[in-house]
PDB file of all heavy atoms in Angstrom:
ATOM      1  N   VAL E  12     -18.777 -35.546  11.886  1.00 98.00           N
ATOM      2  CA  VAL E  12     -18.771 -34.286  11.125  1.00 98.00           C
ATOM      3  C   VAL E  12     -20.207 -33.858  10.833  1.00 98.00           C
ATOM      4  O   VAL E  12     -20.550 -32.671  10.935  1.00 98.00           O
ATOM      5  CB  VAL E  12     -17.945 -34.456   9.829  1.00 98.00           C
ATOM      6  CG1 VAL E  12     -18.155 -33.270   8.895  1.00 98.00           C
ATOM      7  CG2 VAL E  12     -16.463 -34.626  10.172  1.00 98.00           C
ATOM      8  N   ARG E  53     -13.710 -34.048  19.509  1.00 97.00           N
ATOM      9  CA  ARG E  53     -13.888 -35.509  19.501  1.00 97.00           C
ATOM     10  C   ARG E  53     -14.132 -36.050  18.089  1.00 97.00           C
ATOM     11  O   ARG E  53     -14.362 -37.257  17.926  1.00 97.00           O
ATOM     12  CB  ARG E  53     -15.066 -35.905  20.397  1.00 97.00           C
ATOM     13  CG  ARG E  53     -14.857 -35.552  21.859  1.00 97.00           C
ATOM     14  CD  ARG E  53     -13.874 -36.517  22.519  1.00 97.00           C
ATOM     15  NE  ARG E  53     -13.610 -36.148  23.891  1.00 97.00           N
ATOM     16  CZ  ARG E  53     -14.281 -36.633  24.938  1.00 97.00           C
ATOM     17  NH1 ARG E  53     -15.247 -37.485  24.756  1.00 97.00           N
ATOM     18  NH2 ARG E  53     -13.975 -36.251  26.159  1.00 97.00           N
ATOM     19  N   ALA E  76       1.282 -32.443  18.468  1.00 98.00           N
ATOM     20  CA  ALA E  76       1.362 -33.730  17.773  1.00 98.00           C
ATOM     21  C   ALA E  76       1.922 -33.548  16.367  1.00 98.00           C
ATOM     22  O   ALA E  76       2.724 -34.368  15.891  1.00 98.00           O
ATOM     23  CB  ALA E  76      -0.019 -34.382  17.716  1.00 98.00           C
ATOM     24  N   ILE E 102      -0.055 -24.532  25.489  1.00 97.00           N
ATOM     25  CA  ILE E 102      -1.017 -24.103  24.462  1.00 97.00           C
ATOM     26  C   ILE E 102      -0.913 -24.999  23.235  1.00 97.00           C
ATOM     27  O   ILE E 102      -1.928 -25.385  22.644  1.00 97.00           O
ATOM     28  CB  ILE E 102      -0.799 -22.619  24.121  1.00 97.00           C
ATOM     29  CG1 ILE E 102      -1.243 -21.768  25.318  1.00 97.00           C
ATOM     30  CG2 ILE E 102      -1.576 -22.213  22.866  1.00 97.00           C
ATOM     31  CD1 ILE E 102      -0.974 -20.291  25.172  1.00 97.00           C
ATOM     32  N   VAL E 108      -4.969 -27.831  14.532  1.00 98.00           N
ATOM     33  CA  VAL E 108      -4.564 -27.319  13.208  1.00 98.00           C
ATOM     34  C   VAL E 108      -5.573 -26.278  12.714  1.00 98.00           C
ATOM     35  O   VAL E 108      -5.208 -25.168  12.305  1.00 98.00           O
ATOM     36  CB  VAL E 108      -4.437 -28.489  12.200  1.00 98.00           C
ATOM     37  CG1 VAL E 108      -4.354 -27.975  10.768  1.00 98.00           C
ATOM     38  CG2 VAL E 108      -3.221 -29.349  12.551  1.00 98.00           C
ATOM     39  N   TYR E 126     -12.442   0.238  23.756  1.00 97.00           N
ATOM     40  CA  TYR E 126     -12.184   1.039  22.552  1.00 97.00           C
ATOM     41  C   TYR E 126     -13.297   0.755  21.555  1.00 97.00           C
ATOM     42  O   TYR E 126     -13.409  -0.356  21.045  1.00 97.00           O
ATOM     43  CB  TYR E 126     -10.840   0.674  21.918  1.00 97.00           C
ATOM     44  CG  TYR E 126      -9.652   1.192  22.680  1.00 97.00           C
ATOM     45  CD1 TYR E 126      -9.010   0.381  23.604  1.00 97.00           C
ATOM     46  CD2 TYR E 126      -9.185   2.484  22.481  1.00 97.00           C
ATOM     47  CE1 TYR E 126      -7.928   0.857  24.331  1.00 97.00           C
ATOM     48  CE2 TYR E 126      -8.100   2.962  23.192  1.00 97.00           C
ATOM     49  CZ  TYR E 126      -7.481   2.148  24.116  1.00 97.00           C
ATOM     50  OH  TYR E 126      -6.409   2.620  24.828  1.00 97.00           O
ATOM     51  N   ARG E 146       2.641  -0.319  16.787  1.00 98.00           N
ATOM     52  CA  ARG E 146       3.966  -0.946  16.718  1.00 98.00           C
ATOM     53  C   ARG E 146       3.925  -2.376  16.188  1.00 98.00           C
ATOM     54  O   ARG E 146       4.823  -2.809  15.474  1.00 98.00           O
ATOM     55  CB  ARG E 146       4.591  -0.933  18.127  1.00 98.00           C
ATOM     56  CG  ARG E 146       5.953  -1.577  18.199  1.00 98.00           C
ATOM     57  CD  ARG E 146       6.554  -1.422  19.595  1.00 98.00           C
ATOM     58  NE  ARG E 146       7.856  -2.067  19.643  1.00 98.00           N
ATOM     59  CZ  ARG E 146       8.034  -3.342  19.950  1.00 98.00           C
ATOM     60  NH1 ARG E 146       6.996  -4.096  20.252  1.00 98.00           N
ATOM     61  NH2 ARG E 146       9.246  -3.853  19.957  1.00 98.00           N
ATOM     62  N   GLY E 173       2.805 -24.387   0.240  1.00 98.00           N
ATOM     63  CA  GLY E 173       1.712 -24.491  -0.734  1.00 98.00           C
ATOM     64  C   GLY E 173       0.621 -25.456  -0.287  1.00 98.00           C
ATOM     65  O   GLY E 173       0.113 -26.249  -1.090  1.00 98.00           O
ATOM     66  N   GLU E 184     -18.026 -30.507  -0.337  1.00 98.00           N
ATOM     67  CA  GLU E 184     -16.657 -30.440   0.184  1.00 98.00           C
ATOM     68  C   GLU E 184     -15.862 -29.665  -0.845  1.00 98.00           C
ATOM     69  O   GLU E 184     -16.095 -29.797  -2.044  1.00 98.00           O
ATOM     70  CB  GLU E 184     -16.066 -31.843   0.336  1.00 98.00           C
ATOM     71  CG  GLU E 184     -16.776 -32.686   1.361  1.00 98.00           C
ATOM     72  CD  GLU E 184     -16.173 -34.085   1.459  1.00 98.00           C
ATOM     73  OE1 GLU E 184     -14.950 -34.224   1.274  1.00 98.00           O
ATOM     74  OE2 GLU E 184     -16.942 -35.028   1.718  1.00 98.00           O
ATOM     75  N   GLU E 203     -12.435 -12.472   7.506  1.00 98.00           N
ATOM     76  CA  GLU E 203     -10.990 -12.746   7.474  1.00 98.00           C
ATOM     77  C   GLU E 203     -10.591 -13.889   6.561  1.00 98.00           C
ATOM     78  O   GLU E 203      -9.425 -13.995   6.184  1.00 98.00           O
ATOM     79  CB  GLU E 203     -10.501 -13.018   8.905  1.00 98.00           C
ATOM     80  CG  GLU E 203     -10.677 -11.805   9.788  1.00 98.00           C
ATOM     81  CD  GLU E 203     -10.383 -12.072  11.252  1.00 98.00           C
ATOM     82  OE1 GLU E 203     -10.140 -13.236  11.632  1.00 98.00           O
ATOM     83  OE2 GLU E 203     -10.408 -11.102  12.020  1.00 98.00           O
ATOM     84  N   GLY E 222      12.176 -29.607  -2.710  1.00 96.00           N
ATOM     85  CA  GLY E 222      13.569 -29.975  -2.458  1.00 96.00           C
ATOM     86  C   GLY E 222      14.254 -28.912  -1.611  1.00 96.00           C
ATOM     87  O   GLY E 222      13.725 -27.819  -1.392  1.00 96.00           O
ATOM     88  N   HIS E 226      14.477 -23.140   6.901  1.00 98.00           N
ATOM     89  CA  HIS E 226      14.676 -22.500   8.200  1.00 98.00           C
ATOM     90  C   HIS E 226      13.490 -21.585   8.488  1.00 98.00           C
ATOM     91  O   HIS E 226      13.020 -20.869   7.604  1.00 98.00           O
ATOM     92  CB  HIS E 226      15.967 -21.671   8.182  1.00 98.00           C
ATOM     93  CG  HIS E 226      16.268 -21.028   9.510  1.00 98.00           C
ATOM     94  ND1 HIS E 226      16.500 -21.768  10.655  1.00 98.00           N
ATOM     95  CD2 HIS E 226      16.348 -19.718   9.879  1.00 98.00           C
ATOM     96  CE1 HIS E 226      16.723 -20.943  11.665  1.00 98.00           C
ATOM     97  NE2 HIS E 226      16.635 -19.695  11.219  1.00 98.00           N
ATOM     98  N   VAL E 278      13.453 -14.187  -8.601  1.00 98.00           N
ATOM     99  CA  VAL E 278      14.754 -13.502  -8.543  1.00 98.00           C
ATOM    100  C   VAL E 278      15.800 -14.409  -7.907  1.00 98.00           C
ATOM    101  O   VAL E 278      16.965 -14.421  -8.300  1.00 98.00           O
ATOM    102  CB  VAL E 278      14.608 -12.177  -7.768  1.00 98.00           C
ATOM    103  CG1 VAL E 278      15.945 -11.663  -7.270  1.00 98.00           C
ATOM    104  CG2 VAL E 278      13.955 -11.138  -8.645  1.00 98.00           C
ATOM    105  N   ARG E 290      19.222 -10.118  -0.680  1.00 98.00           N
ATOM    106  CA  ARG E 290      18.772  -8.751  -0.420  1.00 98.00           C
ATOM    107  C   ARG E 290      17.856  -8.266  -1.551  1.00 98.00           C
ATOM    108  O   ARG E 290      16.887  -7.557  -1.312  1.00 98.00           O
ATOM    109  CB  ARG E 290      19.982  -7.819  -0.230  1.00 98.00           C
ATOM    110  CG  ARG E 290      19.586  -6.442   0.258  1.00 98.00           C
ATOM    111  CD  ARG E 290      20.681  -5.741   1.015  1.00 98.00           C
ATOM    112  NE  ARG E 290      20.679  -6.048   2.443  1.00 98.00           N
ATOM    113  CZ  ARG E 290      19.863  -5.495   3.340  1.00 98.00           C
ATOM    114  NH1 ARG E 290      18.962  -4.607   2.980  1.00 98.00           N
ATOM    115  NH2 ARG E 290      19.929  -5.823   4.616  1.00 98.00           N
ATOM    116  N   GLU E 311      12.896  -2.774   7.851  1.00 98.00           N
ATOM    117  CA  GLU E 311      14.300  -3.215   7.825  1.00 98.00           C
ATOM    118  C   GLU E 311      14.474  -4.536   8.575  1.00 98.00           C
ATOM    119  O   GLU E 311      15.275  -5.386   8.167  1.00 98.00           O
ATOM    120  CB  GLU E 311      15.203  -2.118   8.412  1.00 98.00           C
ATOM    121  CG  GLU E 311      16.693  -2.426   8.336  1.00 98.00           C
ATOM    122  CD  GLU E 311      17.201  -2.703   6.912  1.00 98.00           C
ATOM    123  OE1 GLU E 311      16.535  -2.301   5.932  1.00 98.00           O
ATOM    124  OE2 GLU E 311      18.264  -3.346   6.787  1.00 98.00           O
ATOM    125  N   ALA E 320      17.289 -15.736   7.132  1.00 98.00           N
ATOM    126  CA  ALA E 320      16.601 -17.033   7.001  1.00 98.00           C
ATOM    127  C   ALA E 320      17.047 -17.751   5.738  1.00 98.00           C
ATOM    128  O   ALA E 320      17.268 -18.971   5.750  1.00 98.00           O
ATOM    129  CB  ALA E 320      15.093 -16.818   7.001  1.00 98.00           C
TER     130      ALA E 320
END
Side-chain angles (χ1 to χ4, degrees):
V12 168
R53 297 285 177 93
I102 290 175
V108 166
Y126 286 95
R146 179 175 179 271
E184 295 179 33
E203 297 172 354
H226 182 62
V278 161
R290 189 154 272 281
E311 184 57 20

